[in-house]
Amino acid sequence: MRTEDVLAAIATGLWRWDHASGTVALDGEAARLLGLPAEPAVLPEAAVRSRFHPVDWNEINGIVNLAVAEGTLAEARLRIMDEDGRVLRTVRTRSKPVEHRGDDGRLDHELIGTLQEIAEPQPGTTAAHTPITGDWRRSREAFLLDAGRALAEARSTAEVLRVAASLSMPGFNPDGLAVFGVEGDRLSVIGHHGHGTGDEGPFSHMRLDTDYPAAEVVRTGRAIYLPTPEDYKRRFPATWPLAQRFGRVSWAFVPLIVAGRTMGAWMAAFKQPVSFSPDERSVLTTVARMLAQALQRAGVAESERELTTGLQRSMMPTLGPEIPGMRVAARYVPTGGGLQVGGDWYDMIPLPGGTSRPASGGRFALVIGDVQGHDVRAAGLMGQLRIAVRAYASEGHRPDAVLSRASRFLAGLQSGDPFTGGAAGADDDFGDAFRSPRFATCLYVECDPETGVLEVARAGHPDPVVRMPDGTVLMRPTAGGLPLGIDADTDYPTTRFTLEPGETMMLCTDGLIETGGHDLDTGWARLRAVLESGAHESEDLEKLADRLVQAVHGPSSHHTTGPLADRREDDIAVVLLCREGPGCGCGAPAGHPVLPVRRTMLTVAQAEPARISGARRQVRELLHDWADGEQVDAAVLMVSEMVTNVLMHTDGDALLVAEAVGELGSRRLRVEVADGSDELPHKRHPGEMASSGRGVLLMEMLADSWGVDPRGEGKSIWFELFEQSKPDAA
């Protein structure tokens, strides 16, 4: 009996599809199944292709390409159409791609296989496919879309592995997964699912020349499918005992390929038999490609995060363990530009002239700054500037000299910067942000732990903020100059004030104030509420630092978006300095029920009359909870009059000291304004049109008491107000 007769008896035809010549050779039965005359023929590829349903042709085209790549059989179901577009029958094709090299040296292939008519799904297959191949294709494509979306959203290797373990493939689900990587000449287990802890031990650090499926896949870049344990044992007898104990019956080892390079292998193991039809192999191969891309993206992202985090950590200092009488806490959050490095920084520097370490009780400096920009160049300039400031401070320079030298350093550093020099061509691809000079804001505070005296020099940076033990929060106005790097010869005057026991000072960059769409006013109001809320609970300084960051960068910040919602996010740096005392933020409990003294001090120079408004604001903030609002207005008016008189009638500066003493509801406010003139004020009677001469009259009308005290070279004018001392107007 001839083979042709046997095949014809079971309605099976033969074909040979030569891809190089574009012809298809059919025997009689194959021609009949395709709706052609039942006789052997050699037809053009287009004539045969016109007999297939268009959807199924796209399906078999992908299956053939997969079989060529893997060197396996191509198997598919096809609907045969007549000239009128009606479906005649459904056939099953099994073909073997055979590669050959043509006369022109080009590598091509031909398909040699069978066609067989079918009416129902073949028994024994993994999934109950319908006769219509398109149904399976649509199910597969929906699964692949979901898998691709989930893998694309994974941001770390652990997330990628969790997604891979949760994938539910159409018709078959692996219960054991493993992802193998390559380290030199050995395999590594990146992750696994469906196995116990320690099960990966024998497979870790396995040599690539080992007789193991994953190792062979990495060596050859070709998938290996093992439908039965007998197949596994026959092909890999040496490592079969390692796989036997897991109780699986089918395995697929698929290469993880990115940009033509095999970076590892993916194993899918099944407890139920799987025949690995072309459809199933196609799904596994496609998932492996997406998995490889996701793993590469996650690996690159993790490397970048590790690099930037390490870089930023190396740039950020380690605060000293303890300072007798003081506590320090700091936070840094790089939020700008999507980078993990930025231009903000802080530092704590031991100063010479005493002991070598602040932990031993010597003077130290706190520095906080912000280099313009949110890119890598800003981070590089920040690192160099921080080192320069530390070097100048360690040499023993005063705060004003430190900032002056730092400004010259930054200006000189950028004058020789290849990004800012004149060597760039007309078609330079770098943006203006790389070519233009950068500036930096900075606040330098020299601290004496024994006395609490702080000397502050400021270069275009936000002023420090002080929280008093009773929760009153004041912004301390300080003299300042231009940001660093703008003018190499800028002077930076120094402001001195005392941090009293129980007070906490906050230094921050503008990112803490303006993040979340806020401007300076609304952002400061938000921070004031955070600082005041924990004042009476003796809150730990570290917890206060966390609350400040969470208020502007955590989930709750989304409910308090500022008026400038489109503003770009900025890096955040914050430093807290607390002088230990009753009710402070160092966690020390209050020793007595009486509230401590509230005090503020401010100098208004002859050349800075605009600071009179700052003096008025200081008094209002000091009296934010005063019972009588009219008394607050009166105090502000008298302060404005006293300071203005000093600037108008003397040649010196005005020193304002305001102090509120006593318990809430019965406090005494005392305000003194000192100057260097010996001329005492006297009462006058100005006319209706006079523009001055009413200062003493105001004091007599509004103050509970007032006076003038001579002080060597100069005098001090003072007034006092007693809370609720005047009867209610009602």
Side-chain angles (χ1 to χ4, degrees):
M1 183 179 294
R2 295 187 308 164
T3 304
E4 292 83 353
D5 297 335
V6 175
L7 293 175
I10 59 175
T12 301
L14 301 176
W15 68 354
R16 179 188 294 266
W17 195 310
D18 191 341
H19 189 267
S21 63
T23 60
V24 183
L26 305 170
D27 68 357
E29 185 62 22
R32 185 191 69 81
L33 291 175
L34 293 179
L36 301 171
E39 57 187 24
V42 178
L43 303 175
E45 180 180 301
V48 176
R49 178 177 175 179
S50 65
R51 295 291 174 168
F52 298 146
H53 193 286
V55 173
D56 299 347
W57 167 256
N58 293 332
E59 182 76 16
I60 191 174
N61 194 39
I63 291 173
V64 169
N65 291 333
L66 176 64
V68 171
E70 296 182 347
T72 57
L73 289 177
E75 182 178 356
R77 297 163 181 243
L78 301 169
R79 285 170 289 181
I80 307 302
M81 315 289 292
D82 61 13
E83 292 83 352
D84 298 327
R86 295 190 299 264
V87 177
L88 294 177
R89 61 182 59 88
T90 300
V91 299
R92 179 169 179 256
T93 173
R94 292 174 59 90
S95 305
K96 172 69 175 179
V98 179
E99 293 183 343
H100 61 81
R101 195 171 298 276
D103 297 336
D104 56 356
R106 188 178 63 178
L107 188 64
D108 218 320
H109 68 273
E110 63 178 3
L111 289 176
I112 302 174
T114 63
L115 287 173
Q116 185 178 37
E117 185 173 3
I118 58 174
E120 298 294 338
Q122 296 296 307
T125 56
T126 305
H129 302 298
T130 65
I132 307 303
T133 306
D135 293 342
W136 161 257
R137 184 180 65 85
R138 285 189 292 271
S139 175
R140 186 193 67 182
E141 289 180 353
F143 160 74
L144 293 177
L145 284 173
D146 292 339
R149 182 169 54 251
L151 289 172
E153 293 174 354
R155 291 292 178 265
S156 66
T157 300
E159 289 182 16
V160 172
L161 295 176
R162 283 197 298 270
V163 171
S166 64
L167 294 179
S168 179
M169 301 183 188
F172 67 111
N173 292 312
D175 72 301
L177 301 173
V179 177
F180 297 91
V182 181
E183 294 180 357
D185 61 346
R186 296 180 180 273
L187 282 179
S188 64
V189 179
I190 299 176
H192 60 87
H193 173 73
H195 306 85
T197 303
D199 286 345
E200 74 279 5
F203 306 95
S204 299
H205 306 292
M206 181 181 289
R207 292 180 59 89
L208 291 180
D209 56 3
T210 305
D211 186 29
Y212 181 65
E216 183 173 323
V217 167
V218 172
R219 292 196 308 267
T220 63
R222 301 173 74 94
I224 295 176
Y225 299 101
L226 304 171
T228 64
E230 290 73 20
D231 292 328
Y232 198 126
K233 186 175 181 180
R234 174 178 52 81
R235 294 187 58 180
F236 302 97
T239 54
W240 164 244
L242 296 177
Q244 184 179 11
R245 63 191 181 95
F246 295 108
R248 273 61 183 256
V249 297
S250 296
W251 299 262
F253 292 84
V254 191
L256 299 175
I257 301 175
V258 178
R261 182 180 65 88
T262 302
M263 58 175 290
W266 175 44
M267 182 201 75
F270 303 82
K271 284 188 176 179
Q272 75 278 6
V274 179
S275 61
F276 296 116
S277 67
D279 288 327
E280 293 163 344
R281 295 201 305 272
S282 177
V283 169
L284 290 168
T285 302
T286 305
V287 172
R289 290 171 182 167
M290 294 189 296
L291 180 60
Q293 296 284 348
L295 286 172
Q296 185 194 42
R297 288 194 303 269
V300 171
E302 288 173 346
S303 298
E304 290 177 351
R305 284 195 296 269
E306 184 176 355
L307 175 62
T308 55
T309 302
L311 175 63
Q312 195 68 54
R313 188 180 294 115
S314 67
M315 291 181 174
M316 289 293 106
T318 301
L319 301 178
E322 284 187 8
I323 305 168
M326 286 187 169
R327 301 283 179 86
V328 181
R331 295 292 184 273
Y332 175 77
V333 182
T335 61
L339 299 175
Q340 294 299 312
V341 293
D344 292 18
W345 92 94
Y346 64 85
D347 205 350
M348 180 175 176
I349 309 170
L351 298 178
T355 56
S356 59
R357 291 179 56 84
S360 302
R363 293 181 307 116
F364 65 96
L366 290 178
V367 189
I368 191 167
D370 182 2
V371 176
Q372 177 193 10
H374 309 292
D375 49 21
V376 176
R377 182 167 176 251
L381 288 175
M382 177 270 285
Q384 297 176 81
L385 185 59
R386 173 178 167 257
I387 294 173
V389 170
R390 174 173 278 268
Y392 297 140
S394 299
E395 289 177 353
H397 297 292
R398 303 296 297 167
D400 55 342
V402 170
L403 292 191
S404 295
R405 284 167 167 78
S407 183
R408 285 195 292 272
F409 169 81
L410 184 58
L413 183 68
Q414 297 189 95
S415 65
D417 194 325
F419 289 114
T420 61
D427 56 348
D428 188 0
D429 290 334
F430 289 107
D432 292 338
F434 287 91
R435 291 194 296 266
S436 60
R438 304 287 183 94
F439 63 84
T441 65
C442 185
L443 187 66
Y444 183 96
V445 183
E446 185 175 305
C447 310
D448 187 342
E450 294 184 0
T451 63
V453 173
L454 309 178
E455 294 190 55
V456 183
R458 186 170 60 87
H461 202 82
D463 282 308
V465 173
V466 174
R467 185 184 75 178
M468 298 179 178
D470 65 347
T472 301
V473 179
L474 299 180
M475 182 177 290
R476 291 283 188 181
T478 57
L482 293 173
L484 306 178
I486 293 180
D487 184 354
D489 298 323
T490 301
D491 293 328
Y492 296 96
T494 301
T495 302
R496 174 182 293 187
F497 63 89
T498 301
L499 192 67
E500 301 292 345
E503 292 184 344
T504 301
M505 180 179 68
M506 180 186 76
L507 313 177
C508 68
T509 58
D510 56 358
L512 187 70
I513 303 174
E514 298 180 345
T515 292
H518 288 269
D519 55 23
L520 289 175
D521 292 333
T522 60
W524 167 231
R526 175 175 58 174
L527 291 180
R528 177 194 290 275
V530 176
L531 288 168
E532 291 176 347
S533 62
H536 300 290
E537 303 172 1
S538 299
E539 183 179 34
D540 181 78
L541 207 61
E542 297 291 338
K543 293 182 180 179
L544 176 59
D546 290 334
R547 283 204 308 118
L548 286 168
V549 173
Q550 284 294 317
V552 302
H553 192 55
S556 60
S557 64
H558 301 302
H559 302 290
T560 56
T561 304
L564 306 175
D566 295 334
R567 170 172 282 165
R568 186 179 181 183
E569 297 297 304
D570 199 357
D571 305 326
I572 294 174
V574 57
V575 178
L576 299 175
L577 174 66
C578 176
R579 190 175 182 195
E580 294 180 351
C584 70
C586 304
H592 54 83
V594 179
L595 294 177
V597 176
R598 252 186 230 178
R599 181 184 298 111
T600 185
M601 182 183 299
L602 177 67
T603 300
V604 181
Q606 284 283 339
E608 296 179 311
R611 298 194 67 186
I612 296 178
S613 63
R616 293 194 293 263
R617 186 177 66 251
Q618 285 279 293
V619 174
R620 284 198 179 277
E621 291 179 350
L622 190 74
L623 304 179
H624 69 94
D625 56 353
W626 198 265
D628 189 345
E630 292 185 358
Q631 283 188 313
V632 175
D633 294 337
V636 170
L637 177 60
M638 287 187 285
V639 166
S640 181
E641 180 71 19
M642 293 162 65
V643 175
T644 302
N645 284 338
V646 171
L647 299 187
M648 290 182 60
H649 301 298
T650 72
D651 296 329
D653 301 338
L655 175 64
L656 168 69
V657 178
E659 183 178 81
V661 183
E663 296 185 2
L664 190 66
S666 59
R667 289 169 292 185
R668 173 180 59 87
L669 171 68
R670 181 181 177 88
V671 178
E672 298 182 11
V673 177
D675 61 76
S677 173
D678 295 330
E679 183 180 353
L680 300 179
H682 56 276
K683 187 175 182 179
R684 292 187 289 173
H685 298 280
E688 184 177 347
M689 302 300 294
S691 59
S692 62
R694 298 182 176 84
V696 174
L697 295 177
L698 285 174
M699 304 276 280
E700 288 185 344
M701 293 174 59
L702 301 178
D704 290 325
S705 60
W706 71 280
V708 181
D709 296 334
R711 290 188 176 179
E713 295 183 357
K715 63 182 180 298
S716 171
I717 307 174
W718 58 271
F719 72 84
E720 290 183 345
L721 289 175
F722 297 95
E723 190 173 15
Q724 295 181 346
S725 63
K726 294 182 181 295
D728 244 11

